[in-house]
Every structure is written in C-alpha cells, then in structure tokens.
Amino acid sequence: QAQVNKANTDLLKAQKSLKKEAVKVNKNTLKATVTKANKVKAKGYTKASFNSFAKVRTASTKVLNNAKATQAQVNKANTDLVKAQKSLKKVAVKVNKNTLKSTVTKANKVKVKGYTKASFNSFAKVRTASTKVLNNAKATQAQVNKANKDLNQGMTALKKV
C-alpha cells in the first residue's frame, strides 16, 4: 500500500507541475483588416452606418491588442469588422443636371442642314452620348459636367457649309 500511496503522490505532484502550453493565436488577418478599417473616414457615409462601423472597429482593435484573446475571439472580431465595413452606406449625392438638360435641349434644335456632314456627324455622336448621361439615373456629377462640356464643344465645332 505504501508504494501505491507514493505513486499516487508522485503522480499528483507531476500533474500539478504540468504547465499549459501557450496557444499561438494568429492575428495577422485581423491586423490587416483593422489597418484597412482605420483608413475609412466618416465623410461620404451616413452617420448611423459609420457610427455602427466605428463601434465594431474599436471592439476589433481591443481584441487585436488583447494578449489573452483567443483565436475564436480574433476570428469573430475580424468577421464582424469585415461585415461592418461592407454595411457602410454612402450618403446619397444629389446630381445637378439642369445645365446639361438646357444644353441638350439647345443641341436638339440643331439640324444637319447648313453644316458639313463630318462636323454634324461628330456633333451628333456627342449629343447622343450627352443625352444618355442626362437620362442615366446613376450618372455622377463629374460625368454630367463632362457631357455638358463635350456637348458645348461639339456645338462650337460645327462647321457651316
């Protein structure tokens, strides 16, 4: 019995002296995601969507800087941050097409008669392109401005017969 007791005592001592091996947590993906997210600024996004994103970004940064974070926590923080960034909503920008509309209306009154065929054909292509921009609900202000400029140049470039 003494041998069994000694073996049991030795086993308990050995068990207590066991140390958990530190688990290496890979934070590389989270670090890259946080770095990318830190470049995102509020301008251009709705206040509500940016505030939600900012909260998730802060929480993810805390996980990144937490030396005791588990791999599951790191993975969740990364997933949440990617999702939050994809959920950002852009502020709707009102595009002013009034000037282009006026220019297209003026251009639509120009008839082929009295102009060289080559200059009129060139003008007609620009007029068609400008009309497409005018009718495009997703056209940006830069596209509208360019279409207006091009159409004005096209009208100026018309050559009389």
Side-chain angles (χ1 to χ4, degrees), residues 27 58 70 78 113 126 142 149 157 160:
K27 295 183 177 181
T58 299
T70 65
N78 188 69
K113 190 175 180 183
V126 174
K149 180 183 171 193
K160 294 194 182 243

Side-chain angles (χ1 to χ4, degrees), residues 27-141:
K27 295 183 177 181
N28 294 339
T29 303
L30 178 59
K31 184 176 181 179
T33 304
V34 167
T35 299
K36 182 180 172 187
N38 283 336
K39 294 177 184 174
V40 176
K41 305 296 179 209
K43 186 177 181 182
Y45 297 105
T46 63
K47 188 174 184 176
S49 73
F50 187 81
N51 287 344
S52 295
F53 164 75
K55 285 178 186 175
V56 174
R57 180 174 59 185
T58 299
S60 295
T61 301
K62 284 181 182 177
V63 172
L64 179 64
N65 295 328
N66 180 355
K68 294 181 180 179
T70 65
Q71 190 66 55
Q73 290 169 321
V74 169
N75 294 347
K76 183 178 183 322
N78 188 69
T79 300
D80 291 350
L81 186 53
V82 168
K83 184 178 177 184
Q85 193 163 354
K86 286 181 180 177
S87 296
L88 282 168
K89 293 188 180 15
K90 293 199 179 266
V91 173
V93 178
K94 179 71 176 143
V95 176
N96 184 343
K97 295 182 178 181
N98 293 339
T99 304
L100 179 58
K101 185 176 183 179
S102 174
T103 306
V104 167
T105 300
K106 182 179 171 185
N108 284 337
K109 293 177 183 173
V110 175
K111 303 298 177 204
V112 69
K113 190 175 180 183
Y115 297 103
T116 64
K117 187 175 181 178
S119 73
F120 186 84
N121 287 345
S122 180
F123 157 76
K125 285 180 185 175
V126 174
R127 180 174 60 186
T128 299
S130 296
T131 302
K132 283 183 181 176
V133 171
L134 180 62
N135 295 328
N136 180 356
K138 294 183 179 180
T140 65
Q141 191 64 56

